[in-house]
Amino acid sequence: MTDHGLHVVTQNDGQQVIVTKLPSYPDCSRSTGRARAAGPVTRLRDTNEAVALPTVGKGLPPTQIAAAAPFEVKELSPVNPKDNNHEGDHRPDRIFTARRIVAMDGHEPEAFAVSAGLVTATGALGDLLARFPGAEQIDLDGALVLPGFNDAHCHTSQAALQRVRVDVSTARSVAEVLALLRARARHTPPGQWVVGQGLDEHAVAGVVDRAALDLVSTEHPILVIQYTFHRAVVNTTGLRLLGYASAGDAPAGGQLPTDPAGHPTGWLFERAWLDPWLPGRGPRSIAPAGALDAQLAALEQVHAELHSVGVTSYCDAIVTPVEEQLYRAALEQGRLPARVNMMLWHSYLPANGLPEHPDVQFLRFAGVKMMLDGALSGGTCLCSQPYPSATGLDNGLQILGDDEFGTLFRRASGTGARVAVHANGDAAIAKVIDQVAQLPPSTVDHRIEHCSLVTPELLRRCRTHRITPVPFGPFVLLFGQQILDFYGPERAQMICAHRAMLDAGLPVAGSSDYPIVPIQPLLAVQSMVTRTTRDGLAVGTSQRVEPLEAVWVYTAGSAHATAEQSFKGRLTPGRAADFIALSQDITTVDPEHIADVEVTSTWLGGECVWQHT
């Protein structure tokens, strides 16, 4: 530890990683607004007329979608502010005002009061000042205040671990990739895995394959994880340790590409690398995580970046005991400034169900994760109709066979856990719904992660069986051309179908799949509102939504996806005081520039965790 609030972590290759240490609750009042004691104040506006949220789905406002669903949802118990039992928590009452506050419950209060991390009241400023005498009043800078964004499907721990492993995401040539790996190999004992992460092979000049990685070392197994996590590449030593000598050695649901002579290229697709990476309890993963201190420092850096774009909650969609230990250590050391849900990879599920954590407001398991098909933008998802897949065939990959998937799904759901299944193509989505439909009645709402290519009938079945879709937020903006190239304009009309999902009355959650793409929620909001790429290409415009509908998806909708809708996602009494201030009102700016709007401050439990400087 050095001065100026910096963590300095030395890794096993001798390289020092310096990560800024943010205080848990920095004082943001100086730049985010004017803090004053209660008393006579200058009103920010003379009137406060509520502006109705745009209607969605059969005339319902988005705040009523979940309530209108024909099922009961098992969720966290509602929180009574008086029962918020954080030992030593004596934070004073605060009253927040802003030019516009959208609470996501259909109202726009002039002010809201916060005590002990929870919203205690909303309404007219004068009424709150009378009700909470002596409260600190804070006028938030910015044009719009919203509940904090909640990314319902991301891989934040992997974003941190990439910085501890060999980060090759910025490499633009094979030589750069190999140089980074050699630097780590020099300080790694022979026989131990050297792991790179974040490779975008299409952005690298040259070919990264087994032969290239052999130039790094033949004494170490070398693994480089491609940035989508759907494939990876190893050297000859790695192939030998994995027992891969020919294409026929690939497990079901995986592929081992070969060169013209029939020899493996070193690339491992889907289960050919997923199984060794996530082997379950007992076997050792081929992707070691590095020193815990380095992991914690990297995670802290990632959280600072999340705060800068307004993320206060997220669900980490692949967690093993390694990532759980990281989050638990961060919580115990007071270095977890976000509300984190975890999805346990199915091969690590204990027979007695998901482990419990003592502070469910900040760290909890939300379900069990499994994967059924390939990638949307990569052209490997499982569809009911043929398409020019990146597999070289006329369809994508089914990663788990029907019998194995059914067995694993029933085992996981039988423990009482929520099951979250990665399914992009309509054929894969139908298989997930089929499994849910066979379950006995339950209060648990299961999830379909990505749920990319849908039909009206699939959405009807999702509603009938209480399934929460978690589609990509920013993918049309980022990958619209690839979507058209793989699936064509007709199917693109029902890809990332937020409009159709909302109209079907489904509680849709917002997700990025970070670090595969940027986690920036306003980028996703722009994509959902415009359905155009950065080059101006329109893709599936029938699925456009209004800005506040997109915000609902990324706040209240995401809270529903982890059964926390009674605790967060809206700025209403009894819910968490997690909120953000934006520099501009995203309902009035040019929709093509929503992503350019800045977050001026981010607040967690009524305390500022980030401010724009």
Side-chain angles (χ1 to χ4, degrees):
M1 187 73 166
T2 64
D3 293 334
H4 312 298
L6 299 179
H7 281 303
V8 179
V9 178
T10 302
Q11 299 185 154
N12 60 2
D13 60 358
Q15 180 181 3
Q16 286 189 333
V17 178
I18 301 177
V19 180
T20 302
K21 181 182 184 299
L22 292 181
S24 297
Y25 299 112
D27 179 7
C28 297
S29 61
R30 187 169 300 173
S31 64
T32 57
R34 302 176 300 283
R36 58 169 78 86
V41 296
T42 302
R43 295 290 183 115
L44 297 180
R45 53 191 180 276
D46 294 328
T47 61
N48 184 43
E49 296 180 0
V51 178
L53 291 173
T55 56
V56 300
K58 300 180 180 179
L60 293 176
T63 51
Q64 295 179 16
I65 291 176
F71 54 86
E72 295 294 327
V73 178
K74 182 180 180 181
E75 60 176 322
L76 292 179
S77 300
V79 180
N80 184 336
K82 295 181 180 179
D83 296 334
N84 191 29
N85 188 24
H86 285 277
E87 185 177 351
D89 190 348
H90 301 293
R91 286 172 277 170
D93 292 334
R94 284 176 164 174
I95 296 173
F96 293 90
T97 59
R99 273 181 274 170
R100 185 184 183 193
I101 300 169
V102 175
M104 298 314 299
D105 69 339
H107 298 91
E108 296 195 24
E110 184 180 10
F112 58 95
V114 172
S115 180
L118 302 175
V119 176
T120 52
T122 64
L125 176 60
D127 293 343
L128 297 187
L129 290 173
R131 183 175 171 183
F132 299 96
E136 178 186 15
Q137 183 184 337
I138 298 177
D139 297 323
L140 293 163
D141 274 352
L144 179 64
V145 169
L146 300 169
F149 290 126
N150 182 349
D151 194 314
H153 180 116
C154 57
H155 303 279
T156 306
S157 60
Q158 292 305 317
L161 294 180
Q162 179 169 313
R163 303 170 194 218
V164 180
R165 296 166 176 152
V166 182
D167 186 352
V168 299
S169 60
T170 61
R172 291 298 174 262
S173 69
V174 173
E176 288 182 65
V177 173
L178 301 187
L180 291 167
L181 294 168
R182 284 193 191 97
R184 182 62 58 87
R186 283 196 292 268
H187 300 277
T188 303
Q192 293 188 11
W193 285 90
V194 174
V195 182
Q197 189 170 321
L199 174 68
D200 182 354
E201 71 273 32
H202 302 297
V204 171
V207 178
V208 179
D209 59 8
R210 170 182 57 83
L213 296 182
D214 283 346
L215 299 176
V216 174
S217 174
T218 57
E219 296 182 338
H220 303 83
I222 308 290
L223 166 72
V224 181
I225 304 168
Q226 200 260 3
Y227 77 99
T228 68
F229 295 92
H230 283 273
R231 53 189 180 271
V233 59
V234 297
N235 65 350
T236 299
T237 304
L239 284 173
R240 185 172 61 253
L241 287 176
L242 293 172
Y244 294 153
S246 67
D249 293 328
Q255 286 184 331
L256 295 172
T258 58
D259 61 23
H263 302 128
T265 63
W267 279 93
L268 322 174
F269 281 58
E270 302 297 356
R271 286 189 71 178
W273 104 271
L274 288 173
D275 287 355
W277 173 38
L278 305 166
R281 298 177 184 273
R284 181 174 295 182
S285 171
I286 64 173
L292 182 59
D293 284 349
Q295 296 177 46
L296 286 165
L299 183 63
E300 200 164 35
Q301 185 183 59
V302 170
H303 280 141
E305 295 169 8
L306 266 57
H307 291 155
S308 73
V309 294
V311 175
T312 56
S313 295
Y314 60 84
C315 182
D316 193 322
I318 294 182
V319 167
T320 75
V322 169
E323 292 81 13
E324 181 189 6
Q325 179 190 33
L326 168 59
Y327 284 125
R328 183 187 291 271
L331 179 66
E332 291 173 349
Q333 296 180 28
R335 298 166 68 180
L336 191 63
R339 304 189 193 275
V340 180
N341 280 275
M342 300 177 289
M343 288 289 179
L344 184 68
W345 187 253
H346 64 87
S347 61
Y348 296 90
L349 179 65
N352 60 347
L354 290 168
E356 295 184 358
H357 285 266
D359 190 345
V360 295
Q361 291 188 16
F362 281 91
L363 185 65
R364 61 193 286 264
F365 275 108
V368 178
K369 174 72 179 298
M370 56 185 65
M371 187 178 296
L372 187 54
D373 70 347
L376 172 66
S377 62
T380 57
C381 61
L382 187 67
C383 295
S384 60
Q385 299 298 319
Y387 71 97
S389 168
T391 61
L393 305 174
D394 63 357
N395 211 332
L397 292 172
Q398 181 170 346
I399 295 173
L400 295 171
D402 289 343
D403 291 343
E404 183 181 13
F405 174 54
T407 299
L408 292 172
F409 190 95
R410 290 189 296 273
R411 172 178 174 264
S413 62
T415 67
R418 174 182 298 101
V419 184
V421 183
H422 166 122
N424 273 299
D426 59 338
I429 292 167
K431 291 176 184 292
V432 179
I433 300 174
D434 289 344
Q435 290 297 324
V436 177
Q438 297 175 37
L439 298 177
S442 168
T443 58
V444 176
D445 55 319
H446 299 289
R447 300 174 27 156
I448 297 181
E449 308 302 293
H450 312 320
C451 202
S452 295
L453 174 56
V454 296
T455 65
E457 174 61 15
L458 290 175
L459 296 183
R460 184 197 65 78
R461 294 185 68 201
C462 283
R463 181 180 169 96
T464 297
H465 298 293
R466 310 185 339 264
I467 295 171
T468 301
V470 188
F472 297 113
F475 268 44
V476 168
L477 185 150
L478 296 172
F479 303 115
Q481 185 64 63
Q482 291 96 314
I483 287 171
L484 288 175
D485 290 345
F486 281 122
Y487 311 104
E490 182 177 352
R491 276 187 284 205
Q493 290 290 337
M494 291 297 285
I495 287 177
C496 300
H498 293 89
R499 170 82 278 144
M501 291 175 180
L502 290 171
D503 287 349
L506 290 167
V508 190
S511 77
S512 65
D513 216 14
Y514 169 79
I516 295 171
V517 301
I519 200 169
Q520 183 184 2
L522 289 179
L523 185 74
V525 170
Q526 178 175 318
S527 181
M528 295 160 66
V529 170
T530 66
R531 297 284 296 197
T532 59
T533 68
R534 284 173 168 156
D535 295 330
L537 177 67
V539 180
T541 56
S542 65
Q543 296 303 324
R544 286 172 174 161
V545 301
E546 296 297 323
L548 287 185
E549 291 179 309
V551 171
W552 186 92
V553 167
Y554 262 83
T555 54
S558 291
H560 174 93
T562 51
E564 295 175 290
Q565 61 267 39
S566 67
F567 174 60
K568 60 186 179 183
R570 300 177 177 91
L571 294 176
T572 57
R575 287 186 169 90
D578 303 342
F579 54 93
I580 60 172
L582 301 180
S583 62
Q584 295 175 272
D585 189 332
I586 60 172
T587 67
T588 60
V589 302
D590 181 345
E592 297 290 349
H593 294 285
I594 289 175
D596 298 329
V597 174
E598 295 179 335
V599 176
T600 59
S601 60
T602 300
W603 301 72
L604 184 71
E607 302 287 345
C608 186
V609 293
W610 186 86
Q611 60 179 321
H612 184 270
T613 56

